Structure formats: structure tokens, C-alpha cells
Amino acid sequence: MTHTLRECDVLVVGAGPAGMSAAARAAESGARAIVADEGVAPGGQIWRPALRSSSPVVAQRWAARLAGSGAVVLRSTSIVELRRGANDGWLALAESNDGGFQIAARSIVLATGARERFLPFPGWTLPNVVGIGGAQALLKSGMSVRGRRVVIAGTGPLIFPVAASLARAGAMLVVVAEQAPRHKVLRFAAGLWRSPALLARAAAYRAAFLRTPYATGTWVVAAHGEPAVQSVTITDGASTRAIECDLLCAAFGLVPNVELARLAGCDVAEGRVIVDARQATSMAGLYCAGEPTGIGGVDLSLAEGEIAGLAAAGRQADAALLGRASALRRHAAAIDEAFALRAEVKALAKPDTIVCRCEDVRMRELDPRWSARQAKLYTRAGMGACQGRICGSALECVMGWPADSVRPPTQPVRVSTFLQDIQSAQSLPHGAH
Amino acid sequence: MSAINIIVDGRTLAVEENATVAVALLDAREYAFRTSVSGEARGPLCGMGVCYECRVTIDGVPHRRACLVVVAAGMRIETAAARA
Ligand SMILES: Cc1cc2nc3c(=O)[nH]c(=O)nc-3n(C[C@H](O)[C@H](O)[C@H](O)COP(=O)(O)OP(=O)(O)OC[C@H]3O[C@@H](n4cnc5c(N)ncnc54)[C@H](O)[C@@H]3O)c2cc1C
Ligand code: FES
């Protein structure tokens, strides 16, 4: 195994909208920038390379800007650990298809995005019960839904683009159930007049699935079927109905990916990385942008990425950019308030419902007096392959257990990467410069 | 769109090139990707590499996440159905 070390001024972790704008701005400011993403190409969750539709203009613009900036893009490369390096810098442990290597950087921008929040309900483990963003991701990687009966049940603005994509792809979208109550959704929609671009976008999405009812104050109760989902029961609290379907998309908003930030020692509160106006975290030389600082949508991710990329390269963002970010943050706060989870959706699991899908731990095995750590020790909940990324955020909602602390590495790594890490820890205790 | 052949549980399937293994299996109505520790059939949930529910054996390597791997001509895939 060869010992490899790459060096740069700014390492950006994640090449979604936030990471792309961060890397581009840092490189344009003269910094030697590297941006690493575990995906096959830059774009993140929203602009991931689509098989059947072309990318929007903004996506193409940022892709071109990144390509022209001089930043080095590392594809299919996961950053699995961060530690302090020499001269107040940072050392990242990376893993690619060819094995592990290290990257020494003066500063780092964490732009690791978000994942969906799944909540357990009877039948949620059946095949063909997928996430809402999950359905979008599968569609973009080529899944065919023509003529298939689809139900969406969940919450938040992400429902809109996904319902539109499903309808455009020829799915028979039977119903869209939004758990937030009607008055909150209406108040949120009324507030959109302040951002005409967002209003136009929402209207265009709705037009694409206009024939499907958008039922507010309605949520999933159970999914049924054998060997895969065949029907779903939804309720508005007063009446319940069963709907036949071939695909159920059920998820409850997004959860920031804060594992790497936690591992590096950054302050995290309410599941978000704490940053200042320059996107600086509590750790010197570590910046954070996009969804890990709070779910705000693509425009906020882009703006925060720009600010962080400039700051990491020692530059100051101008007032217009800072102002744009704070306006978008107000919009994000309105989303949080409108689509807050109702108590009923946190209490859908029955005693025999599986809550940890990797280890098949059932609801009745958990004791409400425990912590997430105790649940791990006594039942293995959160010990499986996903390392608690699915059940951890579910149990946070269902049991009120804050996420357990993170231990390196943050995802299952290959033996070779691990060995390299151990070797270098012996030979280069403070990184390499 | 051009098609390539892959082998799923011994059966030859024509799939679209550039599709992920997860999509190739779902489009072929293969829903049981893996068997859970208590014996349930499971398939993709997150579509983005987080949940590990889509694990299959690809060219002899077990536990590959089907949603992250793009199909290649002649690729051999084993699902839970084959092991049942
Ligand atoms: C499944 C899913 C689908 C979505 N679809 C849409 C949509 O269709 N329309 C819409 O408006 N919004 C969508 N969203 C919301 C979307 O997350 C935001 O609008 C936007 O993409 C956020 O940009 P970001 O750069 O902050 O994060 P992301 O786009 O999530 O980018 C983060 C990137 O970091 C990478 N990464 C994370 N950790 C590591 C690591 N340790 N090492 C290396 N790389 C890493 C990821 O691979 C990813 O590419 C979706 C969200 C999800 C979860
Ligand atoms: S579908 Fe979740 S990891 Fe593949």
C-alpha cells in the first residue's frame, strides 16, 4: 500500500450546491482548492446527474463555474475522518475506489448536505416503501414509474418537485398527503408573495400534478402488502381510508448531516452546526455551509457556500451576498414553522413495529427511560450498517433521545483505509507538512 | 437509450445503460434485494446510499449498495431471492 498525501489550502467536503459554490469561490480567490464527494459527479441531492431530464440552468452555470475555477474535483471519494494537522491545519482521511489516502488542508468547508427523516409506522419496512427524496433519487437514476399507482405521504416543500417529477414521468399519482394542518400551509403559501421566484417555482410544480389531490392535515397510518406494498392507510384524524398503490413515498422532512462536524469537535445544537455570519464553526479553520447548518433549500445552500468558500480563502463576502443569505434564512425559518411535525406522526409505531431496520429492533424492546446509548447497548438499535443514520433521527423524534456521540470513522470503511489511518497515526502524529 | 445485458440471480436482463443496479432491479420487478436479520424482504428506501437496505452481491462482492452502483455489461447480481 502506498502512502499518499495530498495538500491544499481549502478542502471542501461535499459537492452539492453548497460545496460547488464554496469550492468555486475559494479557487477563484486564489486558494488551492479540492472538493471531494462520495457521489459519481458533483451536483448533490438536487442536481445529481439525471438520466431522463436535463439539469436546470443554475446547475449548469455552477458546474461550468466550478470547472473553470481551477478547483480539483475528487469523485467517488468519501471523507471519513477529520483531525487536527500541523500548523493549525486539518488532516482529512479520504476513501475512494482505489483505497484510502489523506488530505492536508489549511481550512475545511463542510458541505455535507442532509438526508431524509424516516419515522416508523406499521409496514414501513415493506419493499416499495421509499422516501420522498428517495423516490426522486431513484427517478433520476432511471426508475420507470409509468402507469404505476403512487402515493406520497409526508411533509414539507420537497413534496412539490417530487410529485411533479413523478407525474411528468407518467406515474398515476393517487394522492399527496401533507401532515401539516391546512391553516399553516396556507399561511406559508401566502408568505411566498415576498419571493416571487419561489412562488413561480411552486406553482409550476403544482401545475404538473394538478389532477392529484393535495390533502393537508393528512398522514400515513400503515402500509400493507406481500411481498411488496399493495396499499396504504391514511387518516386526517377523523376518518381513515385505504388506498391501493404500487409505490409509497413516505418521509418526514430532512435531517442535517452533522456527523463529520461533530467528530471534528464543532458545536452542534438542535441537530445543526452552529456558525457565525462568515459560516465559521466553533473550531478554528472549519467552516460549514448548506443543509448541515439548518435545512434551507438550494438557494440558501448556494449563498452559504459562497460565503464559506470566500472566508476559507481569507476573503470577506460582500454585503449583498450576506443580505441574500439572511433573507433566505428567514424563509427557511418559515418552512420549519409551517411543516413542524404533529405529535401523531411521532407515535405511529405499534409495539411490534420495527424501529431499527438494520438490526430489526422492535418498538416494544425499547424502554422510554433509556438514552440512545443505552438502546444501542441493550438492543443493538443503531449498531447496524447505517450506523444509526435512519433509526437515530427516528428515535430522536419518537423517544425524544438526542443523537448519540459520533466515533470515527463516520461510515463503514474498508480495511485498507483503516490500516492506512493507523499507520499514519503512528508515523505522522500531527499530520504532514 | 441503449440496452446492455446483466445477469440477475442467473437470469439475463436487458437494462438501460447508466441506470443504477437498484433501478435495474426495481424495473425488473425484483423487490427483495436483501433479507433482514429477522427474515423480512427489504428493498431501497433512501435512494442515496444512507440506509443500506438495497445491499446485494455484485460480481461476487457482497453488501454493495445497489443505489450507488451503475450497471455494466455482463455484471452478475445476486439478490436475497437467490439465497432464499
Ligand atoms: C434524497 C433527496 C432528494 C432531494 N431532491 C430535491 C429536489 O428534487 N428538489 C429540491 O429542490 N430539493 C431536493 N432536495 C433538497 C436538497 O437537499 C437541497 O435543496 C440542496 O441539494 C442542498 O444542497 P447542499 O449542497 O446543502 O447539500 P446536498 O445537495 O445534500 O450535497 C451534499 C453532498 O455532500 C456529499 N457528502 C456528504 N457527506 C460526505 C462525506 N463524508 N464525504 C464526501 N462527500 C460527502 C453528498 O454526496 C452530497 O453530494 C433533496 C434532498 C434529498 C435528501
Ligand atoms: S437505497 Fe438506501 S443505501 Fe441504497
Side-chain angles (χ1 to χ4, degrees), chain A residues 355-356 358-367 370-384 395 401:
Chain A
V355 291
C356 166
C358 295
E359 298 289 338
D360 283 1
V361 178
R362 289 170 204 272
M363 187 65 189
R364 68 169 118 75
E365 294 173 60
L366 302 178
D367 187 327
W370 291 346
S371 63
R373 168 76 54 83
Q374 284 170 309
K376 259 189 195 174
L377 288 174
Y378 304 148
T379 69
R380 293 192 56 81
M383 299 280 281
L395 293 177
W401 294 339

Side-chain angles (χ1 to χ4, degrees), chain A residues 102-248:
Chain A
Q102 296 184 63
I103 304 171
R106 237 189 276 283
S107 47
I108 290 184
V109 178
L110 296 170
T112 48
R115 58 180 177 267
E116 283 189 278
R117 176 185 291 111
F118 295 98
L119 295 177
F121 57 86
W124 75 302
T125 54
L126 284 172
N128 289 346
V129 177
V130 302
I132 296 174
Q136 183 82 321
L138 291 166
L139 272 178
K140 288 184 187 171
S141 33
M143 179 172 68
S144 136
V145 290
R146 184 159 299 281
R148 297 181 76 199
R149 297 162 304 176
V150 183
V151 170
I152 297 181
T155 200
L158 178 59
I159 285 181
F160 277 73
V162 181
S165 305
L166 284 163
R168 289 192 195 115
M172 287 164 51
L173 191 57
V174 189
V175 65
V176 171
E178 163 60 63
Q179 60 88 38
R182 188 177 155 77
H183 71 271
K184 284 199 179 184
V185 176
L186 285 178
R187 196 189 314 143
F188 173 74
L192 280 182
W193 64 267
R194 263 171 293 173
S195 11
L198 286 175
L199 187 57
R201 215 186 287 166
Y205 287 141
R206 183 63 181 118
F209 67 103
L210 209 52
R211 273 176 299 176
T212 304
Y214 176 69
T216 50
T218 305
W219 60 94
V220 61
V221 177
H224 324 269
E226 171 62 39
V229 70
Q230 289 166 321
S231 73
V232 54
T233 309
I234 60 172
T235 186
D236 60 5
S239 64
T240 298
R241 75 191 158 115
I243 300 166
E244 292 189 358
C245 64
D246 310 303
L247 183 70
L248 169 62

Side-chain angles (χ1 to χ4, degrees), chain A residues 14-386:
Chain A
M20 290 168 77
S21 66
R25 293 303 298 253
E28 287 164 3
S29 307
R32 291 172 307 156
I34 293 180
V35 54
D37 196 292
E38 54 198 18
V40 292
Q45 298 311 332
I46 178 166
W47 298 332
R48 69 171 55 242
L51 269 190
R52 290 178 199 223
S53 61
S54 53
S55 313
V57 179
V58 233
Q60 290 172 20
R61 214 167 47 220
W62 276 106
R65 192 158 166 189
L66 177 64
S69 71
V72 175
V73 180
L74 302 179
R75 295 156 192 256
S76 302
T77 303
S78 307
I79 303 300
V80 293
E81 201 188 324
L82 295 177
R83 51 168 87 126
R84 275 266 172 230
N87 307 323
D88 293 331
W90 287 90
L91 196 62
L93 177 64
E95 191 185 73
S96 71
N97 292 332
D98 310 322
F101 61 99
Q102 296 184 63
I103 304 171
R106 237 189 276 283
S107 47
I108 290 184
V109 178
L110 296 170
T112 48
R115 58 180 177 267
E116 283 189 278
R117 176 185 291 111
F118 295 98
L119 295 177
F121 57 86
W124 75 302
T125 54
L126 284 172
N128 289 346
V129 177
V130 302
I132 296 174
Q136 183 82 321
L138 291 166
L139 272 178
K140 288 184 187 171
S141 33
M143 179 172 68
S144 136
V145 290
R146 184 159 299 281
R148 297 181 76 199
R149 297 162 304 176
V150 183
V151 170
I152 297 181
T155 200
L158 178 59
I159 285 181
F160 277 73
V162 181
S165 305
L166 284 163
R168 289 192 195 115
M172 287 164 51
L173 191 57
V174 189
V175 65
V176 171
E178 163 60 63
Q179 60 88 38
R182 188 177 155 77
H183 71 271
K184 284 199 179 184
V185 176
L186 285 178
R187 196 189 314 143
F188 173 74
L192 280 182
W193 64 267
R194 263 171 293 173
S195 11
L198 286 175
L199 187 57
R201 215 186 287 166
Y205 287 141
R206 183 63 181 118
F209 67 103
L210 209 52
R211 273 176 299 176
T212 304
Y214 176 69
T216 50
T218 305
W219 60 94
V220 61
V221 177
H224 324 269
E226 171 62 39
V229 70
Q230 289 166 321
S231 73
V232 54
T233 309
I234 60 172
T235 186
D236 60 5
S239 64
T240 298
R241 75 191 158 115
I243 300 166
E244 292 189 358
C245 64
D246 310 303
L247 183 70
L248 169 62
C249 313
F252 296 87
L254 299 176
V255 187
N257 289 327
V258 299
E259 285 75 11
L260 264 188
R262 272 220 172 94
L263 188 62
C266 302
D267 286 346
V268 175
E270 291 175 6
R272 301 160 183 208
V273 179
I274 304 297
V275 289
D276 65 12
R278 299 160 53 243
Q279 303 299 131
T281 69
S282 60
M283 299 296 288
L286 265 193
Y287 300 81
C288 186
E291 311 280 49
T293 67
I295 305 303
V298 59
D299 300 322
L300 182 55
S301 284
L302 282 170
E304 288 192 356
E306 287 195 60
I307 297 168
L310 288 166
R315 297 285 175 93
Q316 177 78 44
D318 61 32
L321 180 54
L322 293 170
R324 182 143 45 90
S326 49
L328 288 163
R329 259 177 225 122
R330 283 195 293 278
H331 174 68
I335 294 181
D336 278 352
E337 140 69 20
F339 300 100
L341 294 181
R342 63 172 62 236
E344 290 95 328
V345 302
K346 299 179 183 174
L348 294 169
K350 298 269 186 272
D352 65 344
T353 305
I354 285 175
V355 291
C356 166
R357 304 171 63 117
C358 295
E359 298 289 338
D360 283 1
V361 178
R362 289 170 204 272
M363 187 65 189
R364 68 169 118 75
E365 294 173 60
L366 302 178
D367 187 327
R369 291 165 299 186
W370 291 346
S371 63
R373 168 76 54 83
Q374 284 170 309
K376 259 189 195 174
L377 288 174
Y378 304 148
T379 69
R380 293 192 56 81
M383 299 280 281
C386 88

Side-chain angles (χ1 to χ4, degrees), chain B residues 44-54 65-67:
Chain B
L45 174 72
C46 72
M48 59 178 282
V50 178
C51 73
Y52 286 74
E53 286 285 30
C54 64
R65 283 169 286 173
C67 68

